[in-house]
């Protein structure tokens, strides 16, 4: 059984937008959350499953706003980094998100869901085709060079 984490993360709100300032916010263990978010993405891309799970856990234990940020990151990775190499990744991560929020805060199965999703993405084959296609298409549209 996992020891209950303390939710004493330092979340700094931007007074103008009333949204978290991730650059100045920290996990309960003192990790800057902007760097944690970056580390999740990098470890998923590198295929380092345990490291991806570790960093995902840091966001998950940092409160509700951080948890929503975590799932935005994981869903984006499923599209942008895994993409068509594993078309089920988006569906699986989306279902994992629903499962996570179905469990009550403090229920240890939430930690398992986070680890599952992060490790699943890290172990998946990767393809940047979707992101590359969109970037190229938008550039060609701006330059007036897209004529399908």
């Amino acid at each position: 059984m996992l020891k209950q984490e303390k939710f004493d993360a330092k979340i700094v709100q931007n007074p103008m937008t009333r949204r978290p300032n991730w650059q100045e916010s920290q996990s309960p263990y003192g990790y800057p959350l902007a760097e944690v978010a970056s580390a999740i993405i990098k470890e998923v891309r590198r295929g380092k499953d345990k490291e991806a799970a570790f960093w995902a856990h840091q966001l998950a234990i940092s409160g509700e706003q951080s948890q929503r940020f975590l799932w935005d990151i994981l869903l984006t990775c499923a599209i942008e980094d895994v993409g068509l190499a594993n078309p089920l990744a988006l569906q699986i991560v989306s279902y994992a998100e629903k499962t996570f929020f179905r469990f009550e805060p403090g229920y240890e199965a939430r930690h398992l869901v986070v680890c599952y999703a992060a490790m699943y993405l890290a172990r998946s084959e990767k393809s940047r085709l979707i992101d590359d296609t969109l970037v190229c298409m938008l550039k060609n549209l701006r330059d007036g060079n897209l004529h399908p």
Side-chain angles (χ1 to χ4, degrees):
M1 182 141 186
L2 294 173
K3 179 183 163 214
Q4 178 62 37
E5 296 285 353
K6 293 181 185 175
F7 287 94
D8 57 355
K10 177 186 165 199
I11 306 298
V12 177
Q13 300 291 331
N14 181 325
M16 302 295 272
T17 63
R18 296 187 180 186
R19 293 183 145 173
N21 178 340
W22 300 117
Q23 297 293 333
E24 295 182 26
S25 299
Q26 294 181 350
S27 77
Y29 291 93
Y31 295 108
L33 292 181
E35 292 180 27
V36 168
S38 178
I40 294 166
I41 296 163
K42 287 176 181 163
E43 300 301 11
V44 165
R45 287 179 179 166
R46 293 174 181 148
K48 293 187 172 184
D49 58 352
K50 290 176 183 71
E51 291 84 350
F54 174 83
W55 294 117
H57 179 73
Q58 288 300 305
L59 266 182
I61 63 171
S62 295
E64 187 177 340
Q65 290 177 306
S66 298
Q67 292 163 359
R68 298 212 178 272
F69 185 38
L70 167 66
W71 289 105
D72 288 348
I73 291 166
L74 295 176
L75 287 163
T76 301
C77 283
I79 298 165
E80 186 177 338
D81 299 307
V82 174
L84 294 176
N86 180 355
L88 290 177
L90 179 59
Q91 187 175 4
I92 288 169
V93 173
S94 181
Y95 190 73
E97 176 189 24
K98 288 179 180 134
T99 303
F100 177 85
F101 286 109
R102 180 175 175 257
F103 293 131
E104 291 293 318
Y107 187 55
E108 81 177 48
R110 282 182 138 203
H111 299 289
L112 295 172
V113 175
V114 168
C115 285
Y116 174 86
M119 293 179 81
Y120 179 83
L121 290 173
R123 289 177 173 219
S124 290
E125 293 293 320
K126 310 296 187 289
S127 170
R128 302 273 304 170
L129 180 63
I130 300 297
D131 184 60
D132 291 345
T133 299
L134 179 62
V135 168
C136 184
M137 179 181 65
L138 293 176
K139 181 187 179 315
N140 285 331
L141 274 171
R142 279 191 304 274
D143 295 346
N145 296 328
L146 188 63
H147 306 288

